[in-house]
């Protein structure tokens, strides 16, 4: 079992930036591909970004491409999501997830999930 803990959420005005992080206390994340997903009130969870275990492959949802950047520091067992040019429609609870194998855009392919961190973007 891998416990994932997200941090760094908060509130920001439209056009601003936030960075959220995901760590696994006491465990190494270097063997896992990682993903970020989000869920807005009344909506289904959706894919945001994913990164390979080595960090050399990344994929993004079209809605965030060019604005968000996923990265990882395996030495720190931490995965990051840098969010720039935020929009009110980015408001959601952001979840990180880990899976064996390569980067993946479907949530059903992930083995472990964090509890999420709230990101709120005001207009």
């Amino acid at each position: 079992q891998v416990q994932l803990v997200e941090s760094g959420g908060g509130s920001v005005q439209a056009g601003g930036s936030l960075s959220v992080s995901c760590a696994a206390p006491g465990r190494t994340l270097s063997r896992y591909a990682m993903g970020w997903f989000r869920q807005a009130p009344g909506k289904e969870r959706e894919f945001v970004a994913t990164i390979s275990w080595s960090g050399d492959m990344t994929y993004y949802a079209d809605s965030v491409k060019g604005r968000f950047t996923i990265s990882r520091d395996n030495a720190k067992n931490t995965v990051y999501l840098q969010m720039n040019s935020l929009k009110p429609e980015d408001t959601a609870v952001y979840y990180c997830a880990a899976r064996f194998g390569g980067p993946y855009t479907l949530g059903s392919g992930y083995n472990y999930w964090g509890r999420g961190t709230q990101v709120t973007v005001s207009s």
Side-chain angles (χ1 to χ4, degrees), residues 1-122:
Q1 188 72 16
V2 176
Q3 180 184 9
L4 300 174
V5 180
E6 300 95 339
S7 61
S11 298
V12 67
Q13 289 191 326
S17 298
L18 277 177
S19 180
V20 291
S21 302
C22 174
R27 298 294 297 268
T28 178
L29 291 178
S30 60
R31 66 174 65 182
Y32 300 98
M34 302 295 295
W36 284 98
F37 293 78
R38 66 187 182 186
Q39 187 167 20
K43 295 187 176 181
E44 294 187 353
R45 181 182 63 195
E46 65 174 357
F47 165 74
V48 176
T50 182
I51 187 168
S52 60
W53 70 268
S54 64
D56 63 344
M57 291 188 292
T58 57
Y59 301 96
Y60 297 91
D62 288 342
S63 59
V64 307
K65 202 171 295 182
R67 301 188 297 121
F68 290 13
T69 302
I70 187 171
S71 62
R72 66 190 301 161
D73 185 340
N74 286 338
K76 295 182 178 180
N77 288 321
T78 303
V79 179
Y80 306 94
L81 184 68
Q82 176 66 41
M83 302 179 287
N84 299 328
S85 301
L86 282 161
K87 306 175 181 179
E89 51 264 43
D90 294 319
T91 296
V93 177
Y94 282 71
Y95 299 91
C96 73
R99 71 181 302 269
F100 297 105
Y104 203 62
T105 61
L106 297 179
S108 59
Y110 285 79
N111 304 98
Y112 306 106
W113 291 83
R115 293 187 175 183
T117 185
Q118 177 70 46
V119 170
T120 302
V121 185
S122 58

